[in-house]
Amino acid sequence: MAFTSNMKFSSLLVLICFATIFLSIEACHETDKAALLDFKSKINQDPTKLLQTWNQSTDCCTQWEGVACDSNGRVVNLTRPGLFSTDDSIFDTFMNGKISPSLGNLEFLEFLDLSNLKQLTGSIPSELGKLSHLTALFLDTNQLSGPIPASFQNLTKLIRMYVSDNLLSGSVPSIFQHMSSLSELGLFNNQLSGGIPSSVSQLVSLTKLDIHGNRFSGGIPRAIGSLKKLISLDLSENQLTGSIPQSIGELSKLNLLYLYQNRLSGSIPSSISGLTSLQFMRLSDNKLTGSLPSSIGKIPLRRLILENNLLTGELPASLGNLTDLDSIYLKNNRFTGKIPSSLSNLVNLLDLDMSRNGLSGPIPSQLATLNLQILDLSFNPLNLVNIPTWIANVNTLQRLYLARTGITGELPRWLSGMSLTYLDVSSNMLAGDLPTWVGNMTSLYSLNVSTNGFRSTIPAVLENLSGLGELDLHMNNFTGSIPSGVINLANLEIFDVSKNMLTGEIPVHGKAFPASSFEGNSGLCGSPLPPCKTA
């Protein structure tokens, strides 16, 4: 079939386009090629051949995997991470070796990703500070050591920088003064020390700052509030001291605030009401004092974790305004007064832990309307006398902890109708028999009735609890022998019947419980206790 003139013209256009594209891609610049080959020479192991296509005889711009060039043949992208995906697979690999200083000669490089290679060692070459066009630097999840190079102050176009999950040490040099474009900074899980550089407050474009898991000391920069675009702030697991700055309340876009496991003191500032986007707040494991400000009720929180501090005063009724909350953890503080009935407004609440405080009863019956999965009010002077019957109506409840809350008498039978996996009523004044209906609670993984006044034998029906992994009966008045079917439950890992009045041989078969689990019973014998006497 003969070509028409239109068809000839169209074909000519296609040929011209292909020729233009071909001519616009020049061969790899010799300086860049030499730099990449020197990088390869410093790699000792490459088990999945990430650098196999890097050869002297081929063009690095068109034939080397993980390398991309601009129209002038200058390398602008170097991407060889150890964790990557294709259309149908995920690959997790490594490379062993060091980062060549020659990479600093890739003067037009914009994107550098050598993350997750796991076994890159040595220091970060200061020559990388010459990469003035760099917008993204990923060296995370390796074994790099030494300091962060001061030459990084020249990387003024950086948008994302992650050197986390390494062995970096020393103080962070003042490198941030001219990084006005930096949006994400990840230094977490290293051994960095010293203070948080005050120049961090000049990162006006920053949306994510994560330095957790280091050894930073000193205070949180007072000017932290100048980072108006910040969405995520994680300073946890360091050695920070001082108070939480009032300026924290100026971070109106902040979604996540993690300051836990530091040495922070002082009160939670009332300015937190300005955190109008905050959903996740974790300030646990510090030395925070004072009361919980009522202004907390103005934050759209989903998770509130303040455990292991020195907070005092009554819980504000404004907690009931946080209708998006799914978790409240206030364990091990010094809160007093009543549990606010306004918590019944928290229709999304799943976990409520107020254990180890000074809260008084009664527990608001309005909580029965919630779909709680965890309720922990242990070690509060609630003086309950009886376990509130309304708890039977919380059909979603999986874990119930009421240790040392003043419960007396016998366990209520309605507990057998619940699908609890954890039940802890230890350190109370329960007495009488341990009821046999406990054997019907087949969802139980953990049962703790220790430090009470039970006087019965250990019910053999407990052997029906096939999923039981923890059974603590210590410090009661249990008598008789230990049922073999109970102690040999397939999943039982923790078993404590010490300080009772049990007798007979310990019927353990193929399990290894410590001797302390059985001590204090004058009539027990056999491994791991001394052997039984024979006639």
Side-chain angles (χ1 to χ4, degrees):
M1 178 179 176
F3 284 112
T4 65
S5 58
N6 286 337
M7 292 175 67
K8 290 179 180 178
F9 181 71
S10 298
S11 300
L12 182 61
L13 282 178
V14 170
L15 288 172
I16 292 173
C17 288
F18 272 115
T20 303
I21 293 172
F22 179 77
L23 292 173
S24 67
I25 301 177
E26 297 185 9
C28 179
H29 195 281
E30 286 301 317
T31 299
D32 294 354
K33 189 172 191 176
L36 293 174
L37 288 174
D38 191 65
F39 170 76
K40 181 179 179 178
S41 73
K42 301 293 192 296
I43 300 301
N44 305 317
Q45 286 180 283
D46 181 13
T48 51
K49 298 180 172 51
L50 289 174
L51 306 180
Q52 183 180 30
T53 58
W54 293 23
N55 296 304
Q56 179 69 49
S57 59
T58 56
D59 181 14
C60 73
C61 289
T62 58
Q63 294 175 276
W64 291 17
E65 292 181 351
V67 177
C69 301
D70 62 15
S71 59
N72 296 313
R74 302 310 301 260
V75 173
V76 294
N77 190 318
L78 171 53
T79 306
R80 291 283 78 188
L83 185 63
F84 61 96
S85 61
T86 61
D87 292 338
D88 55 357
S89 301
I90 296 177
F91 294 90
D92 190 358
T93 186
F94 73 94
M95 280 199 292
N96 178 286
K98 300 181 184 297
I99 299 176
S100 169
S102 296
L103 291 185
N105 295 332
L106 302 173
E107 59 179 302
F108 289 90
L109 193 65
E110 298 175 8
F111 196 102
L112 175 59
D113 187 354
L114 300 176
S115 64
N116 263 292
L117 290 169
K118 287 90 171 173
Q119 296 186 29
L120 286 184
T121 59
S123 59
I124 300 175
S126 61
E127 287 82 357
L128 297 188
K130 297 191 297 182
L131 303 176
S132 59
H133 291 84
L134 206 62
T135 61
L137 175 62
F138 299 100
L139 301 178
D140 50 289
T141 318
N142 285 293
Q143 297 182 41
L144 300 172
S145 56
I148 295 174
S151 62
F152 276 15
Q153 65 180 322
N154 300 319
L155 305 180
T156 57
K157 295 183 179 180
L158 267 186
I159 297 174
R160 290 182 291 170
M161 172 179 166
Y162 285 88
V163 294
S164 47
D165 286 308
N166 278 291
L167 304 171
L168 301 176
S169 58
S171 59
V172 178
S174 188
I175 59 176
F176 302 117
Q177 296 93 326
H178 305 295
M179 292 187 183
S180 58
S181 298
L182 194 64
S183 175
E184 298 178 17
L185 176 60
L187 309 179
F188 54 88
N189 290 335
N190 279 290
Q191 300 169 17
L192 298 168
S193 57
I196 300 173
S198 58
S199 57
V200 165
S201 61
Q202 299 179 39
L203 301 175
V204 293
S205 298
L206 207 61
T207 62
K208 183 176 182 178
L209 173 59
D210 191 344
I211 65 170
H212 83 266
N214 280 285
R215 300 171 183 174
F216 287 111
S217 57
I220 300 172
R222 296 295 163 186
I224 195 75
S226 63
L227 305 180
K228 305 296 185 185
K229 296 183 180 180
L230 209 57
I231 295 173
S232 177
L233 176 61
D234 191 346
L235 311 181
S236 63
E237 300 178 73
N238 281 289
Q239 300 169 20
L240 300 175
T241 56
S243 59
I244 301 173
Q246 285 284 343
S247 67
I248 203 92
E250 299 173 25
L251 304 178
S252 60
K253 294 185 178 180
L254 200 64
N255 175 268
L256 181 148
L257 176 61
Y258 282 176
L259 304 178
Y260 64 90
Q261 287 187 31
N262 278 290
R263 301 171 185 173
L264 299 172
S265 57
S267 59
I268 299 173
S270 58
S271 63
I272 61 170
S273 60
L275 302 177
T276 52
S277 301
L278 194 65
Q279 295 188 44
F280 304 96
M281 178 190 284
R282 187 172 180 182
L283 311 181
S284 52
D285 297 284
N286 280 290
K287 300 178 181 178
L288 298 174
T289 56
S291 58
L292 186 58
S294 60
S295 58
I296 198 168
K298 298 180 180 180
I299 308 174
L301 285 173
R302 288 178 52 192
R303 195 158 300 153
L304 175 62
I305 306 176
L306 303 176
E307 59 192 12
N308 300 323
N309 277 290
L310 303 170
L311 298 168
T312 57
E314 297 188 0
L315 297 173
S318 61
L319 282 174
N321 298 335
L322 306 178
T323 53
D324 291 329
L325 267 179
D326 61 41
S327 304
I328 299 177
Y329 292 93
L330 306 180
K331 173 184 177 180
N332 198 27
N333 277 284
R334 299 176 181 178
F335 291 117
T336 55
K338 307 287 186 181
I339 299 171
S341 59
S342 61
L343 295 185
S344 62
N345 298 330
L346 307 182
V347 293
N348 294 299
L349 194 64
L350 301 176
D351 301 348
L352 178 59
D353 186 348
M354 296 182 169
S355 61
R356 298 183 183 276
N357 279 284
L359 299 171
S360 55
I363 307 172
S365 60
Q366 294 93 328
L367 299 186
T369 61
L370 302 179
N371 295 315
L372 289 174
Q373 294 180 359
I374 299 176
L375 177 61
D376 191 347
L377 301 176
S378 297
F379 297 96
N380 279 288
L382 296 172
N383 298 317
L384 292 183
V385 181
N386 297 309
I387 301 177
T389 56
W390 58 261
I391 290 178
N393 298 322
V394 187
N395 298 322
T396 54
L397 198 63
Q398 298 175 13
R399 302 188 180 198
L400 176 61
Y401 304 93
L402 295 174
R404 196 179 293 176
T405 52
I407 304 170
T408 63
E410 299 181 350
L411 285 175
R413 189 181 184 90
W414 52 259
L415 284 171
S416 65
M418 303 189 71
S419 298
L420 294 176
T421 55
Y422 286 72
L423 175 61
D424 185 352
V425 289
S426 61
S427 302
N428 281 294
M429 293 173 281
L430 293 163
D433 295 350
L434 182 61
T436 56
W437 51 254
V438 172
N440 298 329
M441 301 180 70
T442 53
S443 297
L444 276 179
Y445 172 79
S446 178
L447 174 62
N448 189 348
V449 297
S450 64
T451 317
N452 278 289
F454 290 108
R455 290 186 172 274
S456 65
T457 58
I458 298 174
V461 293
L462 293 182
E463 67 184 24
N464 297 336
L465 307 181
S466 57
L468 200 65
E470 302 173 359
L471 179 58
D472 193 345
L473 308 177
H474 88 270
M475 200 173 288
N476 278 282
N477 298 305
F478 288 110
T479 58
S481 59
I482 302 173
S484 61
V486 175
I487 195 172
N488 290 297
L489 282 166
N491 297 302
L492 197 62
E493 297 178 352
I494 297 176
F495 181 69
D496 193 347
V497 291
S498 61
K499 299 181 181 179
N500 279 286
M501 297 185 292
L502 299 169
T503 58
E505 187 174 359
I506 301 171
V508 178
H509 305 292
K511 284 182 174 285
F513 295 107
S516 58
S517 298
F518 306 98
E519 290 173 350
N521 293 278
S522 58
L524 279 182
C525 60
S527 179
L529 294 180
C532 300
K533 295 178 181 180
T534 57

